[in-house]
Amino acid sequence: MSTQYPEYIDLQPAARAQGTVRLPGSKSISNRILLLAALAQGTTEVIDLLASDDTHVMLNALRSLGIAWDEKQDGSHTVHTVQGGAGSFPNRTADLFMGNAGTAIRPLTAALAVIGGEYTVHGVPRMHERPIGDLVDALNDVGAKIDYTGNKGYPPLHIHAGQFTQSRLSVRGDVSSQFLTALLMVAPLMARTHDITIAVVGELISKPYIEITLNLMRRFGVQVEQDGWQAFTIRAGQQYQSPGVIHVEGDASSASYFLAAGAISGGPVRVEGVGSQSIQGDVRFAEALQQMGAKITMGDNWIEASADAPLKAVDMDFNHIPDAAMTIAVAALFADGTTTLRNIASWRVKETDRIAAMATELRKVGAIIEEGPDYLKVTPPAQIGTAAIDTYDDHRMAMCFSLASLNGKLRNGNTMRINDPKCVAKTFPEYFAAFAAIAK
Ligand SMILES: O=C(O)C1=C[C@@H](OP(=O)(O)O)[C@@H](O)[C@H](O)C1
Ligand SMILES: C=C(OP(=O)(O)O)C(=O)O
């Protein structure tokens, strides 16, 4: 991305956070819309697509596959015009670099396997440590031909043309919900002559992301029949149709940092772009802040956080909001006791092992941490010790730890150093400018 960052950023201690932030577009919605628009019949105008590493890898991949798109500016809005391929990709061979974007590589792998061709997909080294085996198994079981060219169960992948005749698929749901999302998104391409049912094996995690998938599929004209979280049926003969124009909401996970800033330091901080009408599960981060004692107000398209007392520690299950939950782990530095984050095992297979990374960096600033396979307990220090925070090429580590500079809790008024801040480019290239605008 274009923003230039130095090797590290030293954040000045800020007593207060106040102001209004216009959020960048949702990563989860942007990458889903791009793929759906590419698979649809007709031309789609996408307003306010997120501009970041994760969407750029998707846009570049679609172009390599022969899907035409262009970008223009309309006042303060961007407009991407995508020419749909009506269920097919013009180019049947391609080598695709997917960076570290789970929302790009997983659904696209499924689409390539079903459409057929000779494709390789790969990413940054960490992407080659992030599991994809459950998705590959689900697809290969019903006639796909996907090979591992590195380690079994992980990208890089080589995808050949397969043959799909079966009507029942099953996929594990307990490592990443993105595998089910991927299968749901390509199911209409398999359901040309017969219905397709996708059964979920094991407890499905991160359920609200499946709601985003189903919502956007509906916007593109495909209905899914749902039997709880156990089975999903796509009736034969449905095709994606462009909705014409579609707008991308602001990113609710990105909102979490600013809302937490308002809650930690009094606020008020308002985010614009998500609100009570949002289709993203991460808006429920606001409920977690409320439980910590913050005051939350909300309109259709905005949320505001403030607080008139120190935050209260909480003990909560965060399986439904795994990304925004990281923000709670750092907000816990400002709470009145031990905060426990439960049911977050998926953190271990994301941009880094996020449970280990959080534990290490929170200890650096003086917190007492207990770490388990799927939980984290954070007991705050009286004052936050200054440290150079390592970010593990994880945008959320960098964004979360900016919050440690707030509320005058930094020992001796020192600065908070964030190493390798450019990692925010994955979802929010302008993050540190937005943060500086509210941290006073
Ligand atoms: O489908 C999506 O857009 C996402 C699903 C979640 O992943 P898991 O299902 O792997 O938890 C989330 O962490 C990720 O950032 C985005
Ligand atoms: C887990 C994340 O990303 P991905 O879409 O690559 O899974 C994230 O953004 O926190």
Side-chain angles (χ1 to χ4, degrees):
M1 292 302 305
S2 54
T3 309
Q4 297 290 311
Y5 278 116
E7 237 177 275
Y8 56 81
I9 283 184
D10 283 333
L11 297 172
Q12 299 302 319
R16 217 172 161 82
Q18 232 168 20
T20 298
V21 176
R22 185 179 161 208
L23 296 166
S26 154
K27 169 199 74 168
S28 295
I29 296 177
S30 292
N31 271 347
R32 283 170 174 76
I33 287 181
L34 284 176
L35 183 57
L36 293 171
L39 296 175
Q41 246 168 9
T43 300
T44 305
E45 282 197 356
V46 188
I47 315 293
D48 289 344
L49 190 82
L50 170 65
S52 79
D53 286 352
D54 275 15
T55 50
H56 282 165
V57 293
M58 185 62 129
L59 282 164
N60 288 341
L62 293 177
R63 186 161 274 164
S64 301
L65 292 164
I67 297 293
W69 57 266
D70 63 35
E71 177 184 348
K72 60 180 192 290
Q73 200 66 30
D74 181 8
S76 62
H77 300 282
T78 57
V79 182
H80 286 78
T81 305
V82 181
Q83 315 287 340
S88 177
F89 293 130
N91 294 344
R92 292 307 176 98
T93 54
D95 175 58
L96 304 171
F97 173 71
M98 308 310 304
N100 197 5
T103 54
I105 194 170
R106 286 147 173 181
L108 200 58
T109 291
L112 296 169
V114 173
I115 289 170
E118 291 296 321
Y119 301 109
T120 47
V121 294
H122 54 101
V124 299
R126 175 61 183 172
M127 180 56 99
H128 298 173
E129 297 172 350
R130 295 185 65 188
I132 199 162
D134 294 338
L135 176 62
V136 170
D137 288 348
L139 287 162
N140 281 350
D141 280 352
V142 294
K145 287 197 175 139
I146 306 173
D147 296 328
Y148 300 108
T149 63
N151 292 330
K152 186 167 184 286
Y154 301 87
L157 305 174
H158 193 123
I159 300 166
H160 315 269
Q163 279 243 309
F164 297 86
T165 50
Q166 299 186 35
S167 56
R168 197 172 169 85
L169 285 75
S170 57
V171 65
R172 294 191 65 93
D174 53 358
V175 171
S176 170
S177 70
Q178 292 176 0
F179 306 145
L180 174 59
T181 278
L183 295 177
L184 286 165
M185 288 178 78
V186 301
L189 309 185
M190 293 191 239
R192 300 212 200 262
T193 54
H194 50 269
D195 300 350
I196 294 284
T197 294
I198 306 167
V200 180
V201 179
E203 177 72 17
L204 179 65
I205 63 164
S206 305
K207 293 185 182 75
Y209 288 97
I210 300 302
E211 310 261 22
I212 301 179
T213 304
L214 299 177
N215 185 298
L216 293 173
M217 287 173 67
R218 261 196 309 278
R219 299 285 296 278
F220 281 79
V222 170
Q223 307 290 331
V224 179
E225 291 167 26
Q226 198 174 340
D227 177 6
W229 295 103
Q230 240 54 70
F232 298 82
T233 297
I234 295 88
R235 298 283 168 209
Q238 302 190 71
Q239 280 180 1
Y240 289 124
Q241 303 288 341
S242 165
V245 179
I246 190 160
H247 183 262
V248 178
E249 293 177 9
D251 193 296
S253 319
S254 299
S256 71
Y257 312 107
F258 303 106
L259 296 176
I264 289 166
S265 68
V269 177
R270 179 179 285 216
V271 292
E272 290 178 346
V274 290
S276 54
Q277 296 302 306
S278 173
I279 66 168
Q280 298 166 75
D282 268 12
V283 287
R284 292 185 58 195
F285 173 79
E287 292 168 15
L289 279 185
Q290 247 167 348
Q291 295 213 21
M292 294 180 87
K295 192 170 154 236
I296 301 288
T297 49
M298 225 184 255
D300 285 358
N301 200 34
W302 58 268
I303 309 175
E304 191 173 285
S306 59
D308 47 24
L311 293 179
K312 293 184 289 214
V314 290
D315 182 334
M316 280 180 71
D317 184 318
F318 283 103
N319 195 272
H320 61 303
I321 55 167
D323 293 356
M326 290 177 75
T327 314
I328 296 289
V330 177
L333 289 173
F334 300 90
D336 63 357
T338 301
T339 288
T340 305
L341 294 94
R342 297 190 191 277
N343 208 358
I344 53 168
S346 73
W347 280 23
R348 294 208 183 268
V349 291
K350 303 216 173 185
E351 280 76 338
T352 184
D353 176 340
R354 287 175 163 172
I355 295 185
M358 261 300 166
T360 304
E361 301 310 309
L362 286 169
R363 281 186 184 120
K364 275 190 192 167
V365 298
I368 296 166
I369 301 296
E370 186 185 319
E371 175 194 337
D374 66 347
Y375 73 88
L376 194 68
K377 287 188 187 212
V378 183
T379 306
Q383 281 199 303
I384 295 178
T386 39
I389 299 299
D390 289 317
T391 49
Y392 309 80
D393 205 17
D394 183 348
H395 52 146
R396 298 200 194 284
M397 288 295 289
M399 295 190 281
C400 281
F401 273 90
S402 65
L403 300 174
S405 65
L406 293 175
N407 204 17
K409 208 177 167 184
L410 272 174
R411 192 175 297 141
N412 303 328
N414 281 332
T415 55
M416 172 62 54
R417 176 164 294 186
I418 311 283
N419 285 330
D420 191 28
K422 71 174 182 320
C423 61
V424 298
K426 186 174 192 285
T427 54
F428 199 160
E430 308 300 331
Y431 176 75
F432 285 102
F435 183 74
I438 58 145
K440 322 262 179 194

